[in-house]
Amino acid sequence: MVSSSHEAMHRIFQEDPGIFARTFDRLGIPFTDPVAVSLLPTDLTEIKPLERRLDTLLRVDTAHGDSYLLAVEAQGRKDPDKHGSWAYYLSHLYAKYRMPPVLLVVCQEESTARWASAPLHIGPPQWRTLTIRPLVLGPHNVPLITDSSTAARDVPLATFAAITHGKHPCADTMLKSLATALKTLDAETATIFRELTELGLGKSPGAQIWRDLMAIDLSFFRSETSQKLREEGRAEGRAEGRAEDILMILETRGLPVSGDARERITGCADPEILRHWLSRAVTADHAEEIFAEE
């Protein structure tokens, strides 16, 4: 029987597929950020009466023109039969779509995550015909997000982290930070991630903590304070995005960026100043030139 926590663990990637690239970038396995994502049918059943169904299947298109399939499986416990299913999923997807598939397994138990991380070799020892190497996210590698400002910068990742670490001693702090971060969102979006969190926590110790937090008057989401926080959050997000654009232009043009220059760019919160720096970055002969007076 599929549990609510199982559903939330993979459904969150439908809400924000970018969690995948952002998380693995922190783990030193860079994936290009998606520019387009399509939700594909998860039914992999053949003509024969044997049903095989993925949890979530996404097509990811990148700015470089590359595309790949992201198959997300939520795994609640060790299951040796899953190895054969995963091999089938990946082979079938490649044959059907002619795109490289990536298998992502998400777990809430560290022992299950480490079991799922082990590569699966198919074939005799002297000649491995097929090797399955899942990417795995679980308590062993998903970051703990205990600061509300950090959670507000990436609510989907903070939600996924809170679900993953529902049994962690810091679950209380993480959930309080997430609850605060939700107040920076509009009511509709906040509701989506509030419900995903509740589903994902299931019967873990963090579930009651979350219910108690959500029992607080939710009219805050419509208050003037909430509106101010949302506006501040949007401004901060625009500033961060513009700073990243400046650095990308400078680096693409082959201009060295010193530590001081990088710190000055990323530390600036004034969108108007950053806009000027962005326009100068296109023609500057060196990075420091963007800071020159008008």
Side-chain angles (χ1 to χ4, degrees), residues 200-215:
L201 290 171
K203 297 180 180 180
S204 69
Q208 188 57 51
I209 298 173
W210 186 247
R211 283 191 288 270
D212 292 342
L213 288 169
M214 292 300 101

mmCIF file with all atom_site columns, all heavy atoms in Angstrom, residues 200-215:
data_model
loop_
_atom_site.group_PDB
_atom_site.id
_atom_site.type_symbol
_atom_site.label_atom_id
_atom_site.label_alt_id
_atom_site.label_comp_id
_atom_site.label_asym_id
_atom_site.label_entity_id
_atom_site.label_seq_id
_atom_site.pdbx_PDB_ins_code
_atom_site.Cartn_x
_atom_site.Cartn_y
_atom_site.Cartn_z
_atom_site.occupancy
_atom_site.B_iso_or_equiv
_atom_site.pdbx_formal_charge
_atom_site.auth_seq_id
_atom_site.auth_comp_id
_atom_site.auth_asym_id
_atom_site.auth_atom_id
_atom_site.pdbx_PDB_model_num
ATOM 1   N N   . GLY A 1 200 ? 4.402  14.228 3.519  1.00 0.00 ? 200 GLY A N   1
ATOM 2   C CA  . GLY A 1 200 ? 5.721  13.611 3.545  1.00 0.00 ? 200 GLY A CA  1
ATOM 3   C C   . GLY A 1 200 ? 6.159  13.154 4.918  1.00 0.00 ? 200 GLY A C   1
ATOM 4   O O   . GLY A 1 200 ? 6.854  12.145 5.049  1.00 0.00 ? 200 GLY A O   1
ATOM 5   N N   . LEU A 1 201 ? 5.760  13.884 5.944  1.00 0.00 ? 201 LEU A N   1
ATOM 6   C CA  . LEU A 1 201 ? 6.166  13.519 7.309  1.00 0.00 ? 201 LEU A CA  1
ATOM 7   C C   . LEU A 1 201 ? 5.465  12.255 7.790  1.00 0.00 ? 201 LEU A C   1
ATOM 8   O O   . LEU A 1 201 ? 5.986  11.545 8.658  1.00 0.00 ? 201 LEU A O   1
ATOM 9   C CB  . LEU A 1 201 ? 5.887  14.679 8.263  1.00 0.00 ? 201 LEU A CB  1
ATOM 10  C CG  . LEU A 1 201 ? 6.792  15.905 8.078  1.00 0.00 ? 201 LEU A CG  1
ATOM 11  C CD1 . LEU A 1 201 ? 6.280  17.069 8.909  1.00 0.00 ? 201 LEU A CD1 1
ATOM 12  C CD2 . LEU A 1 201 ? 8.237  15.582 8.442  1.00 0.00 ? 201 LEU A CD2 1
ATOM 13  N N   . GLY A 1 202 ? 4.293  11.961 7.209  1.00 0.00 ? 202 GLY A N   1
ATOM 14  C CA  . GLY A 1 202 ? 3.594  10.716 7.540  1.00 0.00 ? 202 GLY A CA  1
ATOM 15  C C   . GLY A 1 202 ? 3.402  10.534 9.033  1.00 0.00 ? 202 GLY A C   1
ATOM 16  O O   . GLY A 1 202 ? 2.786  11.372 9.715  1.00 0.00 ? 202 GLY A O   1
ATOM 17  N N   . LYS A 1 203 ? 3.970  9.450  9.569  1.00 0.00 ? 203 LYS A N   1
ATOM 18  C CA  . LYS A 1 203 ? 3.850  9.151  11.003 1.00 0.00 ? 203 LYS A CA  1
ATOM 19  C C   . LYS A 1 203 ? 5.159  9.398  11.750 1.00 0.00 ? 203 LYS A C   1
ATOM 20  O O   . LYS A 1 203 ? 5.361  8.890  12.852 1.00 0.00 ? 203 LYS A O   1
ATOM 21  C CB  . LYS A 1 203 ? 3.416  7.699  11.188 1.00 0.00 ? 203 LYS A CB  1
ATOM 22  C CG  . LYS A 1 203 ? 2.050  7.390  10.602 1.00 0.00 ? 203 LYS A CG  1
ATOM 23  C CD  . LYS A 1 203 ? 1.674  5.934  10.809 1.00 0.00 ? 203 LYS A CD  1
ATOM 24  C CE  . LYS A 1 203 ? 0.296  5.637  10.215 1.00 0.00 ? 203 LYS A CE  1
ATOM 25  N NZ  . LYS A 1 203 ? -0.086 4.206  10.403 1.00 0.00 ? 203 LYS A NZ  1
ATOM 26  N N   . SER A 1 204 ? 6.048  10.176 11.154 1.00 0.00 ? 204 SER A N   1
ATOM 27  C CA  . SER A 1 204 ? 7.327  10.465 11.804 1.00 0.00 ? 204 SER A CA  1
ATOM 28  C C   . SER A 1 204 ? 7.111  11.405 12.984 1.00 0.00 ? 204 SER A C   1
ATOM 29  O O   . SER A 1 204 ? 6.059  12.050 13.097 1.00 0.00 ? 204 SER A O   1
ATOM 30  C CB  . SER A 1 204 ? 8.290  11.106 10.798 1.00 0.00 ? 204 SER A CB  1
ATOM 31  O OG  . SER A 1 204 ? 7.844  12.408 10.456 1.00 0.00 ? 204 SER A OG  1
ATOM 32  N N   . PRO A 1 205 ? 8.117  11.512 13.883 1.00 0.00 ? 205 PRO A N   1
ATOM 33  C CA  . PRO A 1 205 ? 7.981  12.414 15.032 1.00 0.00 ? 205 PRO A CA  1
ATOM 34  C C   . PRO A 1 205 ? 7.707  13.864 14.634 1.00 0.00 ? 205 PRO A C   1
ATOM 35  O O   . PRO A 1 205 ? 7.081  14.613 15.394 1.00 0.00 ? 205 PRO A O   1
ATOM 36  C CB  . PRO A 1 205 ? 9.335  12.288 15.736 1.00 0.00 ? 205 PRO A CB  1
ATOM 37  C CG  . PRO A 1 205 ? 9.838  10.931 15.339 1.00 0.00 ? 205 PRO A CG  1
ATOM 38  C CD  . PRO A 1 205 ? 9.367  10.739 13.930 1.00 0.00 ? 205 PRO A CD  1
ATOM 39  N N   . GLY A 1 206 ? 8.181  14.248 13.455 1.00 0.00 ? 206 GLY A N   1
ATOM 40  C CA  . GLY A 1 206 ? 7.980  15.631 13.032 1.00 0.00 ? 206 GLY A CA  1
ATOM 41  C C   . GLY A 1 206 ? 6.557  15.944 12.621 1.00 0.00 ? 206 GLY A C   1
ATOM 42  O O   . GLY A 1 206 ? 6.182  17.126 12.510 1.00 0.00 ? 206 GLY A O   1
ATOM 43  N N   . ALA A 1 207 ? 5.733  14.905 12.385 1.00 0.00 ? 207 ALA A N   1
ATOM 44  C CA  . ALA A 1 207 ? 4.370  15.136 11.901 1.00 0.00 ? 207 ALA A CA  1
ATOM 45  C C   . ALA A 1 207 ? 3.543  15.956 12.885 1.00 0.00 ? 207 ALA A C   1
ATOM 46  O O   . ALA A 1 207 ? 2.853  16.909 12.500 1.00 0.00 ? 207 ALA A O   1
ATOM 47  C CB  . ALA A 1 207 ? 3.696  13.796 11.611 1.00 0.00 ? 207 ALA A CB  1
ATOM 48  N N   . GLN A 1 208 ? 3.594  15.616 14.175 1.00 0.00 ? 208 GLN A N   1
ATOM 49  C CA  . GLN A 1 208 ? 2.820  16.353 15.170 1.00 0.00 ? 208 GLN A CA  1
ATOM 50  C C   . GLN A 1 208 ? 3.349  17.763 15.356 1.00 0.00 ? 208 GLN A C   1
ATOM 51  O O   . GLN A 1 208 ? 2.587  18.712 15.557 1.00 0.00 ? 208 GLN A O   1
ATOM 52  C CB  . GLN A 1 208 ? 2.833  15.601 16.511 1.00 0.00 ? 208 GLN A CB  1
ATOM 53  C CG  . GLN A 1 208 ? 1.898  16.207 17.562 1.00 0.00 ? 208 GLN A CG  1
ATOM 54  C CD  . GLN A 1 208 ? 0.455  16.291 17.083 1.00 0.00 ? 208 GLN A CD  1
ATOM 55  O OE1 . GLN A 1 208 ? -0.103 15.308 16.612 1.00 0.00 ? 208 GLN A OE1 1
ATOM 56  N NE2 . GLN A 1 208 ? -0.150 17.473 17.182 1.00 0.00 ? 208 GLN A NE2 1
ATOM 57  N N   . ILE A 1 209 ? 4.681  17.902 15.281 1.00 0.00 ? 209 ILE A N   1
ATOM 58  C CA  . ILE A 1 209 ? 5.281  19.242 15.374 1.00 0.00 ? 209 ILE A CA  1
ATOM 59  C C   . ILE A 1 209 ? 4.715  20.127 14.271 1.00 0.00 ? 209 ILE A C   1
ATOM 60  O O   . ILE A 1 209 ? 4.343  21.276 14.501 1.00 0.00 ? 209 ILE A O   1
ATOM 61  C CB  . ILE A 1 209 ? 6.823  19.156 15.268 1.00 0.00 ? 209 ILE A CB  1
ATOM 62  C CG1 . ILE A 1 209 ? 7.403  18.347 16.422 1.00 0.00 ? 209 ILE A CG1 1
ATOM 63  C CG2 . ILE A 1 209 ? 7.437  20.550 15.213 1.00 0.00 ? 209 ILE A CG2 1
ATOM 64  C CD1 . ILE A 1 209 ? 8.887  18.070 16.292 1.00 0.00 ? 209 ILE A CD1 1
ATOM 65  N N   . TRP A 1 210 ? 4.650  19.567 13.063 1.00 0.00 ? 210 TRP A N   1
ATOM 66  C CA  . TRP A 1 210 ? 4.161  20.337 11.922 1.00 0.00 ? 210 TRP A CA  1
ATOM 67  C C   . TRP A 1 210 ? 2.678  20.697 12.088 1.00 0.00 ? 210 TRP A C   1
ATOM 68  O O   . TRP A 1 210 ? 2.270  21.825 11.800 1.00 0.00 ? 210 TRP A O   1
ATOM 69  C CB  . TRP A 1 210 ? 4.379  19.557 10.638 1.00 0.00 ? 210 TRP A CB  1
ATOM 70  C CG  . TRP A 1 210 ? 4.035  20.322 9.400  1.00 0.00 ? 210 TRP A CG  1
ATOM 71  C CD1 . TRP A 1 210 ? 3.019  20.078 8.522  1.00 0.00 ? 210 TRP A CD1 1
ATOM 72  C CD2 . TRP A 1 210 ? 4.721  21.472 8.889  1.00 0.00 ? 210 TRP A CD2 1
ATOM 73  N NE1 . TRP A 1 210 ? 3.020  20.997 7.506  1.00 0.00 ? 210 TRP A NE1 1
ATOM 74  C CE2 . TRP A 1 210 ? 4.059  21.869 7.698  1.00 0.00 ? 210 TRP A CE2 1
ATOM 75  C CE3 . TRP A 1 210 ? 5.827  22.208 9.324  1.00 0.00 ? 210 TRP A CE3 1
ATOM 76  C CZ2 . TRP A 1 210 ? 4.472  22.960 6.945  1.00 0.00 ? 210 TRP A CZ2 1
ATOM 77  C CZ3 . TRP A 1 210 ? 6.245  23.302 8.568  1.00 0.00 ? 210 TRP A CZ3 1
ATOM 78  C CH2 . TRP A 1 210 ? 5.565  23.666 7.394  1.00 0.00 ? 210 TRP A CH2 1
ATOM 79  N N   . ARG A 1 211 ? 1.881  19.756 12.567 1.00 0.00 ? 211 ARG A N   1
ATOM 80  C CA  . ARG A 1 211 ? 0.462  20.036 12.764 1.00 0.00 ? 211 ARG A CA  1
ATOM 81  C C   . ARG A 1 211 ? 0.270  21.140 13.799 1.00 0.00 ? 211 ARG A C   1
ATOM 82  O O   . ARG A 1 211 ? -0.600 22.008 13.641 1.00 0.00 ? 211 ARG A O   1
ATOM 83  C CB  . ARG A 1 211 ? -0.274 18.763 13.193 1.00 0.00 ? 211 ARG A CB  1
ATOM 84  C CG  . ARG A 1 211 ? -0.543 17.800 12.034 1.00 0.00 ? 211 ARG A CG  1
ATOM 85  C CD  . ARG A 1 211 ? -1.500 16.704 12.440 1.00 0.00 ? 211 ARG A CD  1
ATOM 86  N NE  . ARG A 1 211 ? -0.879 15.747 13.350 1.00 0.00 ? 211 ARG A NE  1
ATOM 87  C CZ  . ARG A 1 211 ? -0.234 14.657 12.954 1.00 0.00 ? 211 ARG A CZ  1
ATOM 88  N NH1 . ARG A 1 211 ? -0.122 14.386 11.654 1.00 0.00 ? 211 ARG A NH1 1
ATOM 89  N NH2 . ARG A 1 211 ? 0.294  13.824 13.824 1.00 0.00 ? 211 ARG A NH2 1
ATOM 90  N N   . ASP A 1 212 ? 1.084  21.122 14.853 1.00 0.00 ? 212 ASP A N   1
ATOM 91  C CA  . ASP A 1 212 ? 0.991  22.174 15.870 1.00 0.00 ? 212 ASP A CA  1
ATOM 92  C C   . ASP A 1 212 ? 1.364  23.534 15.288 1.00 0.00 ? 212 ASP A C   1
ATOM 93  O O   . ASP A 1 212 ? 0.722  24.552 15.576 1.00 0.00 ? 212 ASP A O   1
ATOM 94  C CB  . ASP A 1 212 ? 1.904  21.846 17.054 1.00 0.00 ? 212 ASP A CB  1
ATOM 95  C CG  . ASP A 1 212 ? 1.423  20.632 17.846 1.00 0.00 ? 212 ASP A CG  1
ATOM 96  O OD1 . ASP A 1 212 ? 0.243  20.269 17.707 1.00 0.00 ? 212 ASP A OD1 1
ATOM 97  O OD2 . ASP A 1 212 ? 2.243  20.041 18.579 1.00 0.00 ? 212 ASP A OD2 1
ATOM 98  N N   . LEU A 1 213 ? 2.409  23.554 14.446 1.00 0.00 ? 213 LEU A N   1
ATOM 99  C CA  . LEU A 1 213 ? 2.835  24.809 13.829 1.00 0.00 ? 213 LEU A CA  1
ATOM 100 C C   . LEU A 1 213 ? 1.751  25.349 12.897 1.00 0.00 ? 213 LEU A C   1
ATOM 101 O O   . LEU A 1 213 ? 1.504  26.552 12.839 1.00 0.00 ? 213 LEU A O   1
ATOM 102 C CB  . LEU A 1 213 ? 4.136  24.597 13.047 1.00 0.00 ? 213 LEU A CB  1
ATOM 103 C CG  . LEU A 1 213 ? 5.407  24.387 13.863 1.00 0.00 ? 213 LEU A CG  1
ATOM 104 C CD1 . LEU A 1 213 ? 6.545  23.925 12.954 1.00 0.00 ? 213 LEU A CD1 1
ATOM 105 C CD2 . LEU A 1 213 ? 5.804  25.677 14.578 1.00 0.00 ? 213 LEU A CD2 1
ATOM 106 N N   . MET A 1 214 ? 1.119  24.449 12.148 1.00 0.00 ? 214 MET A N   1
ATOM 107 C CA  . MET A 1 214 ? 0.104  24.868 11.187 1.00 0.00 ? 214 MET A CA  1
ATOM 108 C C   . MET A 1 214 ? -1.221 25.220 11.850 1.00 0.00 ? 214 MET A C   1
ATOM 109 O O   . MET A 1 214 ? -2.120 25.776 11.216 1.00 0.00 ? 214 MET A O   1
ATOM 110 C CB  . MET A 1 214 ? -0.113 23.772 10.142 1.00 0.00 ? 214 MET A CB  1
ATOM 111 C CG  . MET A 1 214 ? 1.074  23.568 9.214  1.00 0.00 ? 214 MET A CG  1
ATOM 112 S SD  . MET A 1 214 ? 1.506  25.057 8.252  1.00 0.00 ? 214 MET A SD  1
ATOM 113 C CE  . MET A 1 214 ? 2.923  25.701 9.175  1.00 0.00 ? 214 MET A CE  1
ATOM 114 N N   . ALA A 1 215 ? -1.367 24.866 13.138 1.00 0.00 ? 215 ALA A N   1
ATOM 115 C CA  . ALA A 1 215 ? -2.595 25.204 13.858 1.00 0.00 ? 215 ALA A CA  1
ATOM 116 C C   . ALA A 1 215 ? -2.661 26.684 14.200 1.00 0.00 ? 215 ALA A C   1
ATOM 117 O O   . ALA A 1 215 ? -3.710 27.215 14.554 1.00 0.00 ? 215 ALA A O   1
ATOM 118 C CB  . ALA A 1 215 ? -2.695 24.375 15.137 1.00 0.00 ? 215 ALA A CB  1
#
